[in-house]
Amino acid sequence: MRVLILTVLLMSAFQGVSSQSLKTVSYQDETQKLNGIVTSNAGQKLPGVLILPAWRGVDNEARQAAMDLEKEGYIAFIADIYGEGNNPEDNAAAAKLAGTYRNDYKAYQRRISLALEQLKAQGAEKVAVIGYCFGGTGALEAARGGLDVEGVVSIHGGLSKDISRTNGPITTKVLVEHPAEDKSVSEEDFDNLVKELKEGNADWQIIIYANTGHTFTNPESQEYDEVMAKRAWNHTLLFLEECLK
């Protein structure tokens, strides 16, 4: 019975994914083909949001976020970071692939920049970036790389960067949505990010969600917390409205 109830809840949580149209947009990073996804309001002159998915690649959470953002009046574009033919089959493969981009942060920033170009080509004027998990790390990399965005939102993202990298100016607004019980983020990582944001003279805020584990916003996760997930989404929308409207 519990399995049946969980299945029904998951289907309900993502029912909007199939009810609206999402379009694949192919683009290139040199010889690597990338397949992003854009909402059906592409082509209009609207603010835009780039979505960076978690380490397994484009998933239901990213798709649902795109649908919900379209309803709020944004063009949403889901980036393809890994490229065609490189989708990890399990968490072990995802960890390995995501790790290559954490180590080669310039390659990660380049893939994000290419996706931003595609979002702007779809009609988006002012743009922001949101990311989940590995994508939350990417949102911070967009800020660290000085990419042309109004704001970034890191949702249960990895907060660390290599100790050899120096802290530089951060000119975009930053929102970090951090689960209090995220065992993948150390106190040192958290403190170093605060130090980085302060030294970068950033416009920043960190919201900590009580009693929540790493993937608290994803209805398909055992760590999902409906109340805190709704709060986090409302905080995201408030931040995007300030940045883009």
Side-chain angles (χ1 to χ4, degrees):
M1 178 62 72
R2 290 181 61 189
V3 173
L4 176 60
I5 292 173
L6 179 59
T7 301
V8 171
L9 289 173
L10 292 178
M11 290 176 64
S12 175
F14 288 125
Q15 63 182 347
V17 172
S18 60
S19 65
Q20 290 175 274
S21 175
L22 290 173
K23 176 184 175 182
T24 299
V25 177
S26 295
Y27 55 111
Q28 296 283 141
D29 183 0
E30 297 181 345
T31 60
Q32 176 62 62
K33 183 179 180 182
L34 307 167
N35 295 308
I37 297 174
V38 71
T39 46
S40 62
N41 58 350
Q44 302 180 44
K45 295 298 182 182
L46 295 169
V49 180
L50 179 66
I51 300 171
L52 303 178
W55 68 352
R56 291 290 293 269
V58 178
D59 57 12
N60 284 333
E61 184 170 28
R63 290 174 180 270
Q64 186 64 55
M67 297 290 95
D68 292 340
L69 288 168
E70 181 179 7
K71 293 175 184 177
E72 298 292 331
Y74 301 102
I75 299 172
F77 188 91
I78 307 173
D80 178 8
I81 299 300
Y82 299 147
E84 186 173 274
N86 297 318
N87 291 331
E89 295 182 355
D90 53 34
N91 286 344
K96 181 178 180 180
L97 192 53
T100 64
Y101 287 92
R102 289 194 182 99
N103 293 330
D104 188 357
Y105 68 91
K106 291 185 178 179
Y108 198 5
Q109 290 174 352
R110 184 175 68 251
R111 289 281 167 93
I112 296 168
S113 181
L114 290 170
L116 284 169
E117 289 177 5
Q118 294 300 316
L119 173 58
K120 293 175 181 178
Q122 299 297 323
E125 299 174 314
K126 298 172 69 175
V127 298
V129 177
I130 72 171
Y132 298 89
C133 187
F134 168 61
T137 304
L140 292 175
E141 287 299 340
R144 290 168 176 145
L147 303 188
D148 185 20
V149 298
E150 303 297 324
V152 302
V153 184
S154 175
I155 305 168
H156 53 79
L159 308 183
S160 65
K161 69 176 183 181
D162 191 276
I163 58 174
S164 66
R165 297 171 63 184
T166 58
N167 294 336
I170 296 177
T171 58
T172 188
K173 296 179 181 180
V174 177
L175 169 61
V176 176
E177 298 179 353
H178 181 65
E181 308 304 323
D182 190 344
K183 293 180 174 57
S184 68
V185 175
S186 69
E187 289 186 16
E188 182 180 15
D189 291 341
F190 185 93
D191 292 343
N192 284 341
L193 177 66
V194 172
K195 182 174 183 288
E196 179 183 6
L197 294 169
K198 287 182 177 179
E199 290 184 357
N201 197 31
D203 178 344
W204 66 276
Q205 56 190 315
I206 298 176
I207 302 176
I208 300 176
Y209 299 89
N211 307 313
T212 53
H214 176 59
T215 51
F216 76 103
T217 63
N218 189 341
E220 294 179 341
S221 168
Q222 293 182 345
E223 295 178 312
Y224 178 62
D225 186 310
E226 182 179 6
V227 172
M228 293 300 182
K230 286 182 178 179
R231 290 180 186 176
W233 184 248
N234 287 333
H235 292 148
T236 298
L237 292 180
L238 181 64
F239 180 80
L240 292 175
E241 182 175 8
E242 177 186 319
C243 291
L244 301 178
K245 293 186 176 180

